[in-house]
Amino acid sequence: MTGVQTCALPILVTNNLTLDKTLYVQLGTLNSSAVNLTVGGDIIIGTATTAGHLAAGNSTVTLTSGNRGLFIQSASSTFTSTGTLASTASSNTTWLYSITGSLSFYNISHTGMGTLQLYNSDATVAGTLDNTAGIFDANGYTATITGLTTISGGTYYAKTATQTFNGGLKIGRASRRERE
């Protein structure tokens, strides 16, 4: 998909969608609940004066480029998911930001060598957090993970805020038995 696509009606995506540029969901709802969404630019939801909604359902939403991120720009805008937010950027920083200072995810998977960083936002993860490469940087913001947090590669930086691992914290590579 190329160019700027504008639509004020709800949009239902029925096939996997890959964008190499920024995805703007500035007004209305983008429902990608049955497909995977891969974005090479930013995902920008809402504006200062409009509400946008990205309903990801059980799909995987992947951010592939550094110096990019997921930005929720208004208090009435939402990102909802029972799937996984994945960051695969090979370098630089991918930001997770909400103007309200609070983000919610189901699962987060960070497999890229870059940094995945909370920016101006605490985060709640209802499922799991997996960091297999690069840096997960809570950046001084609170992170609460309900499921298992696994740091099997890379680094987790908490800095000064409280980090809560309700489902446990596993550090180190999987054993041979676990990989089989």
Side-chain angles (χ1 to χ4, degrees):
M1 181 176 257
T2 60
V4 175
Q5 305 297 317
T6 304
C7 182
L9 301 172
I11 297 173
L12 174 64
V13 179
T14 57
N15 289 309
N16 288 343
L17 181 61
T18 300
L19 304 170
D20 61 356
K21 302 289 183 193
T22 296
L23 171 63
Y24 295 91
V25 184
Q26 294 180 329
L27 181 65
T29 301
L30 174 61
N31 183 341
S32 67
S33 62
V35 300
N36 295 323
L37 179 62
T38 302
V39 180
D42 295 316
I43 298 176
I44 300 176
I45 303 172
T47 69
T49 59
T50 64
H53 308 282
L54 176 53
N58 194 32
S59 65
T60 298
V61 176
T62 303
L63 296 164
T64 62
S65 297
N67 291 332
R68 301 290 184 200
L70 171 67
F71 300 95
I72 300 175
Q73 302 286 68
S74 73
S76 55
S77 294
T78 59
F79 170 83
T80 57
S81 172
T82 55
T84 300
L85 176 72
S87 175
T88 62
S90 61
S91 63
N92 299 317
T93 301
T94 302
W95 296 280
L96 303 177
Y97 167 87
S98 174
I99 198 164
T100 65
S102 179
L103 290 163
S104 295
F105 302 99
Y106 191 74
N107 295 315
I108 294 178
S109 172
H110 182 229
T111 61
M113 292 303 295
T115 299
L116 180 60
Q117 183 180 68
L118 299 180
Y119 181 74
N120 190 54
S121 302
D122 296 327
T124 300
V125 180
T128 61
L129 170 66
D130 294 308
N131 194 85
T132 61
I135 297 169
F136 181 87
D137 185 358
N139 196 27
Y141 294 96
T142 300
T144 302
I145 298 92
T146 301
L148 179 63
T149 299
T150 304
I151 311 299
S152 60
T155 305
Y156 186 108
Y157 290 141
K159 298 194 178 152
T160 59
T162 300
Q163 308 297 297
T164 305
F165 305 105
N166 292 325
L169 175 62
K170 182 177 180 180
I171 300 173
R173 298 211 177 272
S175 69
R176 179 180 170 166
R177 183 178 196 153
E178 290 172 316
R179 288 189 305 256
E180 294 175 349

